[in-house]
Amino acid sequence: MTATASPTAAPAWAATDLTTLADLSPGDITALLDRATEFVPTVGEASCEHRSHLEQSLAGRIIANLFLEDSTRTRGSFTVAAQRLGGTTLDMSGKGSSISKGETLLDTGLTVAAMGVDAIVMRTSVNEAPHMLADHVDMPVINAGDGNNEHPTQGLLDALTLRQRLGSDLAGKRIAIVGDIRNSRVAGSNIRCLPTLGMDVVLVGPESMCPDEPISGSPHATGSITVAHDLDAVVAELDAIMMLRVQFERGSEIGDDYAERYGLNESRAARLPGDAPVLHPGPMNRGLEIADAVADDPKRSAIRQQVTNGVAVRMAVLERLCASPHR
Ligand code: NCD
C-alpha cells in the first residue's frame, strides 16, 4: 500500500476534464484503477492508520459539488474523497441556489467558476451539460451524472469492483447489465468502459428499455456489446451481473411482469455460476429489480464494496485532475 506516493508515471490520458469514458484508453483506465487500488485501504471503517499517511495533495484546493439532481453516494463520496486528500468542498444544489430563480445551468456553472474554485463536479438532468460547461471554464469539470448519458466515475468504480472480484485481467469475462438500459447513465458509462478492458457486455431488458444494435461504446473497445431480452437464457453463462434501477423520474414505465422477468430473485441468482458477483449502483428498488436476499447476500453482493470503491476512485480522479497545476 503506497497511498502516500504520487503515481510513478502520469497516465497518457491528457484530458483536463472527465466528462465521458469514451476518450480513455485501456492504459488510461488501468492507471486510474491502479491508483484507486492504492487508496482503497484508506477508505472504510478500519482504516485510520492508513489514512494518517495520506498525502494531502489537494491541500488548499476547493472542489465545488454542483448537484442539480439528488444524490447520496456520488455527492457524499466526492466530498469524502476531496477531504481525505486535504481539499475542501463547496456544496450547491438546485434548491437553494439561483437555479430555482430561473438562472441557466451555464450561468450557474460560470458563477461558481468565477469564485475561483479549483474544480467543478456536476450532476444534472441535462445530457452533456458538463461537456458544455467544460468548454467554457478554465478548471477541471467532472461529470457526476448527466441525464441518461454518462456517469464516468460510476463506470470506473464498477470496473474496480469487478477487478477485485474477478481478477485484474477482465478480458474475455462476461457481464450482463440488466434493466432500464436506455435511461441509465450508469449503463452509458459501463458500455464505454468495460469493453475497453476487454469485457463482453450483454444488455438485458425489455425491448422498450434497450438501445438498438449496433451500440457504440468506446473507440478503444475490444470486448463486445450485445442485447438480449431473456434473462434466464443468459444468467448461467455470466461472470458477473449488474442490476439497474428503473428510472421512473425519467419517464420509464414497466409492465406488471417486470420483476418476474427481469428482477434478480433468489432462484435466478442461484443459477449464476460460482461466486459471480452482483452489482447495483444504488439506490435500489428492493423487491423490484433486486430481492432483499440477493442485495444482502454477504457472498455475492458487491453493493457496499462499490460504495467504498467510489471514494477510492474519486480520490484517484481528483488527484489526477486537481492536484497539480493544470491548463
Ligand atoms: C445512479 C445515478 O444517479 O445515476 N446512482 C449513483 O450515482 N450511484 C444510479 C441511479 O440513480 O439509478
Side-chain angles (χ1 to χ4, degrees):
M1 205 280 298
T2 53
T4 50
S6 296
T8 42
W13 180 44
T16 47
D17 306 294
L18 180 61
T19 52
T20 171
L21 292 185
D23 297 341
L24 275 66
S25 70
D28 300 332
I29 293 173
T30 300
L32 281 170
L33 299 187
D34 287 348
R35 185 59 176 153
T37 299
E38 294 176 338
F39 285 128
V40 168
T42 74
V43 187
E45 289 166 29
S47 310
C48 292
E49 67 186 269
H50 296 298
R51 286 205 273 273
S52 62
H53 301 298
L54 271 176
E55 188 191 358
Q56 300 295 285
S57 56
L58 295 184
R61 310 272 157 164
I62 301 174
I63 311 299
N65 280 329
L66 183 54
F67 274 65
L68 307 173
E69 276 194 338
D70 293 342
S71 172
T72 298
R73 280 149 279 265
T74 308
R75 188 209 298 249
S77 58
F78 266 111
T79 301
V80 172
Q83 295 187 3
R84 288 283 181 231
L85 295 176
T88 54
T89 49
L90 169 68
D91 272 299
M92 306 197 87
S93 53
K95 284 187 213 117
S97 76
S98 289
I99 292 260
S100 68
K101 299 180 186 170
E103 185 170 65
T104 68
L105 214 62
L106 183 58
D107 278 339
T108 300
L110 292 174
T111 300
V112 173
M115 293 173 196
V117 298
D118 297 286
I120 299 178
V121 179
M122 184 186 225
R123 167 166 288 195
T124 164
S125 60
V126 182
N127 285 24
E128 304 208 355
H131 312 54
M132 179 184 67
L133 181 61
D135 287 341
H136 285 83
V137 298
D138 191 25
M139 61 194 53
V141 174
I142 300 170
N143 180 0
D146 62 321
N148 65 2
N149 183 38
E150 274 210 61
H151 191 348
T153 53
Q154 181 73 42
L156 293 170
L157 77 87
D158 290 335
L160 179 59
T161 306
L162 290 166
R163 269 192 6 173
Q164 291 166 342
R165 291 289 183 121
L166 304 179
S168 58
D169 185 5
L170 295 176
K173 306 275 188 202
R174 188 161 196 241
I175 185 170
I177 302 180
V178 184
D180 193 358
I181 317 288
R182 218 186 261 272
N183 269 336
S184 171
R185 55 199 178 201
V186 174
S189 277
N190 272 295
I191 63 172
R192 291 170 172 95
C193 179
L194 300 180
T196 298
L197 299 175
M199 279 191 94
D200 295 321
V201 175
V202 51
L203 305 174
V204 186
E207 270 176 44
S208 61
M209 289 182 167
C210 286
D212 301 324
E213 288 181 286
I215 294 147
S216 71
S218 160
H220 304 284
T222 51
S224 61
I225 307 172
T226 52
V227 171
H229 303 297
D230 182 355
L231 180 54
D232 289 319
V234 302
V235 77
E237 296 159 11
L238 300 172
D239 295 294
I241 189 166
M242 180 185 298
M243 307 307 296
L244 298 174
R245 183 177 66 87
V246 178
Q247 307 281 299
F248 292 110
E249 75 274 32
R250 294 185 216 289
S252 296
E253 290 176 3
I254 52 171
D256 293 341
D257 60 350
Y258 184 85
E260 193 188 312
R261 291 184 65 196
Y262 296 107
L264 192 58
N265 53 33
E266 262 187 291
S267 59
R268 206 164 257 147
R271 294 190 54 227
L272 285 164
D275 292 339
V278 174
L279 285 76
H280 191 303
M284 294 178 271
N285 289 312
R286 284 172 175 263
L288 181 58
E289 68 257 359
I290 191 164
D292 286 340
V294 181
D296 301 330
D297 179 342
K299 205 166 109 204
R300 276 203 197 284
S301 174
I303 296 169
R304 300 277 175 263
Q305 190 179 345
Q306 287 173 273
V307 176
T308 297
N309 286 337
V311 176
V313 154
R314 288 165 182 132
M315 288 168 83
V317 168
L318 287 172
E319 177 189 71
R320 174 72 184 81
L321 292 178
C322 313
S324 51
H326 48 83
R327 294 192 185 181

